[in-house]
Amino acid sequence: MGLSFHRVKEGEFVRLVETGSMTDFIAQEDANNSDKYHLFAINTQTGIGYTIRQARVDEIRSWRLDRLALLLKRLGQTSFQVRNL
């Protein structure tokens, strides 16, 4: 089964995380800015992944790694993978 990704706004992403269906969290380094990371969450049961998009445009949102870690901590997630380019 192939993995498919959906871009959702932050509120929807938080709701999906709070349901407990997201099992893997990955911070992927931004190809255009090495100080920023994109967040991906994957539901391994369904093979569906989610990432957060900007509120006004359909571009993937990025954070500094420390800010991304704070977001995940606030959502009750204790671990995530970091992937650099």
Side-chain angles (χ1 to χ4, degrees), residues 6-22 39 41 50-56 61 63 71 74-75:
H6 300 279
R7 294 179 183 188
V8 296
K9 292 182 183 176
E10 187 173 348
E12 177 67 5
F13 187 88
V14 168
R15 187 190 70 73
L16 289 165
V17 171
E18 288 174 343
T19 66
S21 60
M22 299 300 116
L39 176 61
Y50 296 90
T51 188
I52 300 174
R53 71 177 186 88
Q54 297 287 349
R56 292 190 174 101
R61 186 170 173 190
W63 291 267
L71 170 66
R74 180 175 56 93
L75 294 174

Side-chain angles (χ1 to χ4, degrees), residues 19-39:
T19 66
S21 60
M22 299 300 116
T23 54
D24 296 328
F25 295 88
I26 302 165
Q28 172 68 52
E29 185 179 14
D30 186 333
N32 299 318
N33 187 344
S34 63
D35 293 335
K36 300 283 184 149
Y37 290 80
H38 304 293
L39 176 61

Side-chain angles (χ1 to χ4, degrees), residues 40-84:
F40 297 92
I42 301 169
N43 181 324
T44 55
Q45 297 292 344
T46 63
I48 299 174
Y50 296 90
T51 188
I52 300 174
R53 71 177 186 88
Q54 297 287 349
R56 292 190 174 101
V57 293
D58 191 23
E59 295 177 4
I60 299 175
R61 186 170 173 190
S62 61
W63 291 267
R64 290 187 343 221
L65 193 55
D66 61 333
R67 296 290 184 183
L68 192 147
L70 286 173
L71 170 66
L72 289 172
K73 186 176 182 179
R74 180 175 56 93
L75 294 174
Q77 301 307 310
T78 58
S79 65
F80 62 96
Q81 296 177 38
V82 176
R83 296 189 181 168
N84 294 311

